[in-house]
Amino acid sequence: MVWTVFSLPIASTWLSVLVLLVDLAIRLVVLGVIPGNRRPTTAMAWLLCIFFLPYIGLILFLMFGNFRLSRRRREAQDAVNLRILEGTKNIAALVPEYHGPAWVKSAMELNQNLGYFPALGGNKVQLIEGYQDSLDAMADEVSRATNYVNAEFYIMSSDACTERLFAELEAAAERGVRVRVLFDHIGSLRVPGYRGMIRRLKASQIQWRRMLPLLPVKGQWRRPDLRNHRKILVIDGRVGFTGSQNIIEPSYRKKRNHTVGRKWVELMTRLEGPIVGTLNVMFATDWSAETEESLESQLATYHWDSFATGPLCQVVPSGPGFITENNLRLFNTLLYSAEECITISSPYFVPDDSLLYAITTAAQRGVVVELFVSEVGDQFLVHHAQRSYYEALLRAGVRIFLYPKPLVLHAKHFTVDYDVAVIGSSNMDMRSFSLNLEVTVMMIDSDVVRQMHAVEDHYRSISRELHLEEWVKRPILARYVDNVARLTATLQ
């Protein structure tokens, strides 16, 4: 009995010592592990999280700290890259000689070295600003399909706005067209009506797969926020669509959004010409990763042609399959190269240090820099993290325009001088640079730039410019929330 009485405090003491040692061991180990192959800001954010909350922080790191795809997927991507290199080794003789600014040619070379796809001439480009207009345009092209339809979107939903597109996909499959559909598992799962869409797909002759599925009972597990964010539609290799828009009604089927009138504003591009085949290679890569079915027979008919007339276009793939952060490198290159003007539209602008320096340096050296963002974002933490950068941008001379609430400016594009327009699925945030699989198209043509300038002019006409004098007077609590959100945004 005496032993029992005295052993309790002794045991308690030893337990406290053990907890302290484990706590210290965790801190020492993560100091040497976390900084490896991560940005200093990202590493510091994780270290702070673990130092403040050792056990919870470690669990979160184990769940969300690995931003790489599986080895099988990386090897498959490497194999595709090698085949593209083989198919384009003589492309230099085919690409029309470019007579514009030297920095544009340098950007094209950068893109090809990083993403393997060459710039190809002889394309047609049409920008589609209307939300329903783009859905109808896609449905129109699917109705004309004779061979195949390849669709890949982060979010897909069967609803009143997408009904015609779904009906055309089903009709095409029924008449013998090979219709393949990819959608991101988590991205689409979060949307009301997901199960109804799955039932509809199962009842059709459409071939479909979830991208990066999280189905532990089937042995499919990975970092939950590692997502395929691409938006691609290719019909018969003759016409393609890409941009910011998902296949869903403009309020994302959320009751609250309908109540407050919140709708998403998008920009899509319709493409014809050799660049469509490049988009199809990207789809084929992702389809093979999810199904292990090769589309080599479909791609065998594609030739890396390039023509002297028509806009030069270049597809830039990025994501965990590419360790070089292709989209970030392209964005920085263009920002540093600009001589006259830069206009950016980004729903989630949470730059890393390199992008922040590039955009502020451009403004400080006299380039007119404009940034269009939503007045109120749809994601609390991301929106407040974005706000934390406004003061630095405004002090550097960047003009910030707030797209009026309750609308959400979800379009992702920018122009550089009068030479280059960029559009795609990529946001200007660290998630799009490291965690999401993205597609970006660089378009080199003054007429295309004028098209995009017209879109930007429309944004400017209805937006409110934010001024530094107003911004520095915002409440202290708002500053605090912005700064905390900025820290969480770097956790990757």
Side-chain angles (χ1 to χ4, degrees):
M1 186 68 177
V2 174
W3 181 88
T4 303
V5 170
F6 283 96
S7 66
L8 288 175
I10 294 174
S12 178
T13 300
W14 277 108
L15 181 61
S16 298
V17 171
L18 180 61
V19 170
L20 182 63
L21 290 175
V22 171
D23 182 280
L24 180 62
I26 290 174
R27 294 169 190 253
L28 290 175
V29 170
V30 298
L31 276 174
V33 172
I34 288 180
N37 296 319
R38 287 183 178 83
R39 295 187 186 88
T41 52
T42 299
M44 184 60 67
W46 275 119
L47 289 173
L48 284 173
C49 179
I50 293 174
F51 270 58
F52 276 112
L53 302 167
Y55 300 104
I56 296 175
L58 181 60
I59 292 171
L60 289 174
F61 176 74
L62 293 175
M63 290 180 63
F64 297 99
N66 181 15
F67 56 87
R68 290 194 174 189
L69 293 171
S70 66
R71 177 179 295 179
R72 181 182 66 82
R73 284 176 176 268
R74 296 199 303 271
E75 290 175 349
Q77 182 66 65
D78 291 341
V80 170
N81 295 342
L82 289 175
R83 289 199 294 273
I84 295 171
L85 280 175
E86 180 64 24
T88 60
K89 60 183 178 182
N90 297 318
I91 196 67
L94 299 175
V95 175
E97 186 176 355
Y98 180 69
H99 300 287
W103 60 265
V104 177
K105 188 173 183 179
S106 177
M108 288 190 285
E109 184 174 355
L110 170 73
N111 292 338
Q112 185 166 354
N113 287 336
L114 296 178
Y116 301 91
F117 291 128
L120 302 173
N123 302 287
K124 293 181 181 179
V125 177
Q126 176 191 359
L127 299 181
I128 308 175
E129 191 174 358
Y131 196 103
Q132 190 62 45
D133 291 341
S134 65
L135 291 174
D136 291 340
M138 287 186 275
D140 288 342
E141 294 301 338
V142 172
S143 72
R144 302 185 186 105
T146 59
N147 187 6
Y148 65 86
V149 174
N150 292 334
E152 174 179 353
F153 289 87
Y154 176 60
I155 293 175
M156 291 193 74
S157 166
S158 173
D159 54 54
C161 291
T162 65
E163 171 58 32
R164 184 173 167 235
L165 178 54
F166 266 83
E168 294 294 355
L169 290 170
E170 292 166 335
E174 289 173 3
R175 66 175 181 266
V177 176
R178 297 295 297 273
V179 179
R180 299 176 178 87
V181 169
L182 291 171
F183 55 87
D184 186 83
H185 185 196
I186 301 302
S188 297
L189 177 65
R190 294 180 300 178
V191 174
Y194 172 77
R195 294 184 183 278
M197 183 186 73
I198 296 298
R199 287 193 297 269
R200 182 170 186 173
L201 289 171
K202 286 181 176 180
S204 73
Q205 297 182 44
I206 296 171
Q207 295 177 268
W208 60 275
R209 290 291 189 280
R210 303 173 180 89
M211 293 188 290
L212 300 174
L214 279 176
L215 299 169
V217 294
K218 295 183 178 181
Q220 296 173 328
W221 173 257
R222 57 183 53 81
R223 176 173 172 168
D225 61 342
L226 200 66
R227 309 312 326 152
N228 192 321
H229 197 240
R230 292 169 179 162
K231 289 92 173 167
I232 297 172
L233 177 66
V234 175
I235 299 95
D236 293 339
R238 62 177 179 80
V239 61
F241 294 83
T242 192
S244 65
Q245 188 171 353
N246 292 299
I247 305 303
I248 188 172
E249 62 92 21
S251 293
Y252 277 58
R253 304 191 70 173
K254 300 291 178 67
K255 184 177 180 180
R256 174 171 172 76
N257 292 341
H258 287 284
T259 301
V260 301
R262 182 179 293 135
K263 295 182 179 180
W264 270 240
V265 177
E266 310 286 1
L267 186 67
M268 293 290 282
T269 183
R270 179 187 183 278
L271 300 165
E272 292 184 52
I275 199 64
V276 176
T278 309
L279 285 175
N280 205 37
V281 172
M282 287 196 66
F283 174 89
T285 303
D286 290 339
W287 180 263
S288 176
E290 301 299 346
T291 67
E292 298 189 2
E293 175 193 358
S294 172
L295 299 185
E296 289 291 338
S297 59
Q298 186 183 105
L299 300 179
T301 59
Y302 177 64
H303 302 284
W304 296 95
D305 295 326
S306 187
F307 304 97
T309 58
L312 272 168
C313 295
Q314 188 173 28
V315 169
V316 183
S318 57
F322 297 87
I323 62 172
T324 45
E325 297 184 330
N326 302 349
N327 47 359
L328 174 60
R329 290 174 186 264
L330 169 62
F331 297 166
N332 281 341
T333 295
L334 294 179
L335 291 170
Y336 278 117
S337 300
E339 298 175 348
E340 297 181 57
C341 54
I342 300 166
T343 302
I344 299 170
S345 173
S346 180
Y348 313 118
F349 186 84
V350 186
D352 73 337
D353 287 345
S354 70
L355 186 63
L356 182 64
Y357 293 158
I359 191 171
T360 53
T361 299
Q364 289 163 339
R365 59 188 173 84
V367 176
V368 176
V369 182
E370 298 177 322
L371 173 63
F372 288 94
V373 293
S374 299
E375 185 177 9
V376 176
D378 63 300
Q379 298 184 24
F380 179 86
L381 283 177
V382 177
H383 178 64
H384 281 277
Q386 173 176 285
R387 284 162 46 101
S388 73
Y389 291 91
Y390 288 174
E391 184 171 341
L393 294 169
L394 290 168
R395 289 191 183 279
V398 177
R399 299 182 68 187
I400 299 176
F401 292 88
L402 304 179
Y403 201 88
K405 62 181 181 182
L407 300 176
V408 175
L409 183 61
H410 192 247
K412 314 161 197 296
H413 53 85
F414 69 101
T415 52
V416 181
D417 295 346
Y418 302 93
D419 305 285
V420 172
V422 176
I423 191 170
S425 66
S426 179
N427 299 307
M428 286 194 170
D429 65 0
M430 287 172 275
R431 178 167 301 282
S432 283
F433 300 146
S434 300
L435 303 182
N436 292 340
L437 283 78
E438 306 281 6
V439 56
T440 301
V441 180
M442 185 173 78
M443 302 172 289
I444 304 158
D445 181 79
S446 58
D447 289 336
V448 174
V449 174
R450 277 193 288 271
Q451 284 188 58
M452 196 166 283
H453 279 172
V455 174
E456 296 162 352
D457 290 343
H458 174 230
Y459 294 170
R460 195 179 300 105
S461 70
I462 63 175
S463 298
R464 177 177 70 86
E465 185 170 2
L466 179 67
H467 296 282
L468 180 61
E469 296 78 12
E470 168 196 351
W471 189 243
V472 296
K473 295 178 182 178
R474 74 191 193 280
I476 293 177
L477 180 59
R479 288 174 176 265
Y480 179 83
V481 173
D482 293 345
N483 291 335
V484 172
R486 179 171 178 162
L487 178 63
T488 63
T490 63
L491 290 174
Q492 295 179 12

